[in-house]
């Protein structure tokens, strides 16, 4: 096998593997190195997303949501089922099957695209050379025309509650529980805390979420965050804000977590604790001396808007560089860079990256929040439509939440769309496309939406921005 490639990608997660495939589609010779190792010692492409992130978490969210619906919704439909229980081992086996099929699928995609898949560790050397250490310890040095660094991120540890991988775990550990903890503590009310807290709550755990900040979901539009907090409270998620964890002591019966808030110091005992306080870029062992690659103060690889590192022919994409840590953001960066290397047009519109939180109700948004628009001083208008007024949402027994459109008064441009409610993560795609095409609310208003669908909520919210909603009183 040649040790010379047009492109060598280090990292086979959702940023790296699409970069490798697009580079190959562009007629370049490509190798993709990935070192992800599962607990059983096997290597798997797909990175955090496929092995321990997006995919397994969504599998468990789906299973636990079905159980929850069987418990609380079926009776409304007139369905009686007797006692419905969850076989946790079977649920986990289903999840593992989905993960395996997805990660092996990447090998299939690589084969079809003629990407050379290399499982082991990669290290960038000066001169666009990459040292590859295979699983069996053999070392090769590859010469690349261009190198794409896509090494991802890892969970941020908390000094006062260090991982012991048994009682105190990270998000990966929380995806692998083999039984439902009776008392689950979650440190961090961010995306992971809420998604995985929801999973185990629906399966029967008493879940307490300790969040250091006083505000709940500060990155979301305030109206969405407020509605979410209300719904999570109803579901029994005990979210405590302004809670600063100072100690976590592991004993024979559980973990005693001490935290301080405005009311003083408290100690709560949990069977297990998940620490989900954010993730940090992972670059351990990635860069040999003398490569010239710069890291910023937080450890991210420094890049420009087109993911160039400043070292000729070396790019970096995904979680290891600035910007939101999202699989779709990494994917678009990987594809952009692969196109730029081939001399094609490449671009990522960072202003229209959608965010989705896959709880129930789901939350999704794109663009600016109302608070950000207000702070900018630009005159704006807002249209909202509650799912309570959506025939489809009511038929689905999912009439919580709303869709909200924020637009500029001067030229009607859509500035942000915020949805909390059923299938919000799917509905947001229309808003992303609208913003990508610089659409106005009038464009959305004049677009025909099928009836009865959830998408009508976005249509009505756009109409409401000009006080023309039909299915809900305009305010
Ligand atoms: P990674 O997926 O981390 O992949 C990097 C890969 O590079 C890994 O396989 C790593 O082993 C490998 N690697 C690193 N260094 C080397 C080296 N020197 N040599 C060889 N290989 C190396 N995002 C979403 O958009 N939607 C979601 O629903 C979502 N859910 C999530 C749920 C959880 C529980 C978690 C933890 C994350 C979730 N994310 C989600 C975030 C998403 O997983 C990340 O944004 C995404 O995986 C980043 O992709 P990446 O390719 O940059 O890095
Ligand atoms: P996050 O940044 O979403 O949330 C971390 C939370 O922990 C924040 O609310 C923060 O204030 C809080 N926190 C920080 N230090 C704390 C402390 N000492 N005590 C208590 N609370 C503390 O991070 P995350 O939930 O760990 O997720 C990591 C990344 O993974 C996110 O950036 C997200 O983009 C990505 N992710 C995305 C999805 C999705 O797209 N649906 C799902 C899961 C993860």
């Amino acid at each position: 096998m040649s040790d010379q490639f047009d492109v060598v990608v280090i990292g086979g997660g959702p940023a790296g593997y699409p970069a490798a495939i697009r580079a190959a589609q562009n007629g370049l010779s490509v190798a993709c190195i990935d070192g992800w190792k599962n607990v059983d010692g096997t290597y798997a492409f797909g990175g955090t997303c496929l092995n321990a992130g997006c995919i397994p978490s969504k599998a468990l969210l789906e299973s636990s949501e079905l159980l929850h619906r069987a418990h609380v919704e079926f009776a409304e439909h007139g369905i009686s089922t007797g006692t419905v229980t969850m076989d946790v081992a079977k649920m986990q086996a289903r999840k593992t099957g989905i993960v395996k099929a997805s990660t092996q699928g990447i090998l299939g995609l690589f084969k079809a695209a003629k990407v050379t898949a290399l499982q082991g560790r990669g290290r960038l050397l000066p001169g666009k050379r990459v040292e590859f250490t295979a699983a069996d310890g053999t070392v090769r040095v590859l010469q690349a025309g261009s190198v794409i660094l896509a090494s991802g991120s890892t969970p941020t540890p908390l000094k006062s509650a260090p991982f012991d991988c048994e009682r105190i775990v990270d998000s990966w550990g929380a995806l692998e529980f083999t039984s439902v903890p009776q008392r689950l503590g979650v440190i961090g009310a961010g995306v992971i805390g809420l998604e995985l807290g929801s999973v185990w709550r629906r399966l029967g755990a008493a879940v307490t979420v300790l969040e250091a900040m006083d505000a709940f979901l500060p990155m979301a539009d305030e109206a969405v965050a407020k509605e979410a907090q209300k719904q999570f409270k109803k579901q029994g998620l005990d979210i405590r804000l302004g809670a600063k964890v100072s100690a976590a002591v592991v004993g024979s019966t559980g973990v005693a977590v001490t935290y301080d808030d405005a009311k003083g110091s408290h100690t709560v005992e949990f069977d297990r604790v998940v620490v989900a306080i954010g993730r940090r870029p992972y670059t351990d062992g990635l860069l040999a001396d003398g490569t010239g690659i710069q890291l910023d103060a937080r450890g991210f690889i420094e890049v420009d808007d087109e993911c160039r590192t400043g070292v000729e022919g070396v790019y970096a994409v995904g979680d290891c560089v600035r910007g939101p840590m999202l699989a779709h953001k990494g994917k678009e960066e990987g594809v952009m860079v692969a196109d730029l290397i081939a001399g094609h047009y490449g671009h990522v519109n960072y202003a229209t990256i959608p965010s989705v939180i896959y709880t129930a109700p789901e939350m999704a948004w794109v663009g600016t929040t109302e608070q950000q628009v207000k702070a900018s001083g630009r005159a704006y208008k807002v249209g909202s439509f509650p799912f309570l007024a959506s025939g489809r949402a009511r038929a689905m027994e999912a009439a919580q939440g709303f869709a909200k459109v924020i637009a500029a008064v001067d030229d009607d441009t859509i500035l942000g769309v915020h949805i909390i409610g059923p299938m919000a993560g799917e509905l947001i795609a229309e808003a992303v496309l609208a913003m990508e095409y610089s659409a106005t609310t009038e464009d959305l208003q004049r677009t025909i939406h099928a009836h009865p669908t959830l998408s009508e909520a976005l249509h009505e919210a756009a109409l409401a921005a000009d006080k023309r909603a039909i299915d809900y009183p305009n305010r």
Side-chain angles (χ1 to χ4, degrees):
M1 187 195 304
S2 166
D3 283 344
Q4 187 100 25
F5 294 91
D6 294 326
V7 179
V8 173
V9 184
I10 305 180
Y17 87 78
I21 289 173
R22 175 54 59 88
Q25 285 169 347
N26 285 335
L28 302 171
S29 62
V30 185
C32 182
I33 302 172
D34 189 82
W36 184 279
K37 240 190 204 176
N38 282 311
V39 267
D40 62 3
T42 55
Y43 283 87
F45 276 91
T48 306
C49 173
L50 270 67
N51 289 288
C54 321
I55 301 307
S57 62
K58 269 75 239 176
L60 297 190
L61 278 157
E62 192 65 28
S63 299
S64 60
E65 176 65 4
L66 283 180
L67 180 74
H68 175 75
R69 293 179 66 185
H71 282 152
V72 304
E73 268 178 37
F74 279 18
E76 292 294 323
H77 290 271
I79 304 169
S80 37
T81 49
T83 310
V84 178
T85 56
M86 173 60 84
D87 178 340
V88 174
K90 203 160 179 187
M91 175 187 78
Q92 291 290 22
R94 172 183 173 273
K95 176 209 73 188
T96 304
I98 293 166
V99 167
K100 260 206 178 127
S102 308
T103 57
Q104 281 170 358
I106 295 180
L107 284 175
L109 293 173
F110 277 177
K111 202 169 166 207
K114 300 194 171 48
V115 171
T116 302
L118 298 174
Q119 292 182 304
R121 302 284 304 172
R123 188 163 75 114
L124 181 69
L125 308 176
K128 292 188 288 187
R129 288 170 310 131
V130 174
E131 181 188 85
F132 167 61
T133 307
D136 63 5
T138 43
V139 178
R140 283 162 61 190
V141 174
L142 314 178
Q143 181 66 57
S146 301
V147 178
I148 304 175
L149 306 172
S151 56
S153 64
T154 52
T156 305
L158 182 60
K159 260 196 193 142
S160 53
F163 298 123
D164 70 355
C165 301
E166 187 51 47
R167 294 270 189 195
I168 306 179
V169 301
D170 62 13
S171 52
W172 195 5
L175 288 165
E176 301 296 332
F177 291 161
T178 51
S179 61
V180 181
Q182 271 185 8
R183 304 160 302 172
L184 179 66
V186 178
I187 304 180
V191 195
I192 292 179
L194 294 173
E195 288 187 358
L196 297 186
S198 294
V199 165
W200 294 107
R201 171 73 203 113
R202 292 167 189 164
L203 295 175
V207 178
T208 306
V209 186
L210 302 173
E211 166 60 46
M213 305 264 283
D214 293 324
F216 179 65
L217 280 182
M219 68 282 210
D221 187 90
E222 269 175 24
V224 168
K226 201 170 151 204
E227 175 68 16
Q229 200 174 1
K230 190 176 95 189
Q231 297 294 340
F232 293 146
K233 194 170 176 192
K234 266 197 206 162
Q235 293 165 15
L237 272 183
D238 179 358
I239 300 171
R240 304 184 189 176
L241 300 176
K244 309 216 167 32
V245 173
S246 54
V249 179
V250 178
S252 55
T253 55
V255 191
V257 175
T258 302
Y259 69 93
D260 295 289
D261 64 12
K263 291 187 194 137
S265 182
H266 315 263
T267 298
V268 195
E269 173 124 336
F270 300 111
D271 299 303
R272 286 174 173 240
V273 170
V274 184
V275 177
I277 58 164
R279 295 176 62 83
R280 58 186 190 186
Y282 175 67
T283 54
D284 293 1
L286 179 69
L287 306 168
D289 288 343
T291 59
I293 304 292
Q294 300 294 321
L295 303 183
D296 70 14
R298 297 167 62 209
F300 289 96
I301 298 173
E302 283 197 357
V303 287
D304 66 11
D305 287 350
E306 290 179 329
C307 295
R308 292 187 173 85
T309 61
V311 174
E312 193 273 317
V314 183
Y315 301 78
V317 295
D319 278 13
C320 65
V321 304
R322 83 291 173 262
M325 288 183 166
L326 295 172
H328 43 285
K329 173 261 194 187
K331 178 181 185 181
E332 292 310 317
E333 287 180 335
V335 166
M336 167 181 73
V337 162
D339 282 339
L340 291 173
I341 289 171
H344 301 320
Y345 176 77
H347 177 66
V348 172
N349 183 358
Y350 288 94
T352 56
I353 297 174
S355 295
V356 183
I357 304 182
Y358 297 84
T359 46
E362 218 161 82
M363 286 170 256
W365 63 88
V366 59
T368 41
T369 63
E370 185 172 351
Q371 295 67 48
Q372 288 165 334
V373 181
K374 195 180 271 177
S376 76
R378 187 162 185 191
Y380 68 94
K381 54 188 179 178
V382 174
S384 279
F385 183 80
F387 283 104
L388 197 62
S390 153
R392 186 64 188 274
R394 292 179 78 106
M396 290 168 68
E397 211 44 58
Q400 301 93 12
F402 55 84
K404 171 173 171 178
V405 173
I406 305 166
V409 167
D410 51 7
D411 60 5
D412 197 31
T413 310
I414 299 166
L415 302 174
V417 175
H418 306 268
I419 305 174
I420 175 165
M423 309 301 277
E426 304 295 330
L427 296 178
I428 204 66
E430 180 183 356
V432 176
L433 188 68
M435 289 183 68
E436 189 63 42
Y437 282 21
S438 305
T440 59
T441 63
E442 186 184 350
D443 292 322
L444 276 189
Q445 291 169 9
R446 293 186 186 281
T447 302
I448 300 170
H449 291 71
H451 176 76
T453 59
L454 298 170
S455 70
E456 287 173 296
L458 188 54
H459 188 214
E460 286 283 321
L463 286 161
D466 286 331
K467 304 213 181 315
R468 290 173 198 226
I470 302 294
D471 290 327
Y472 195 68
N474 293 291
R475 298 228 170 85

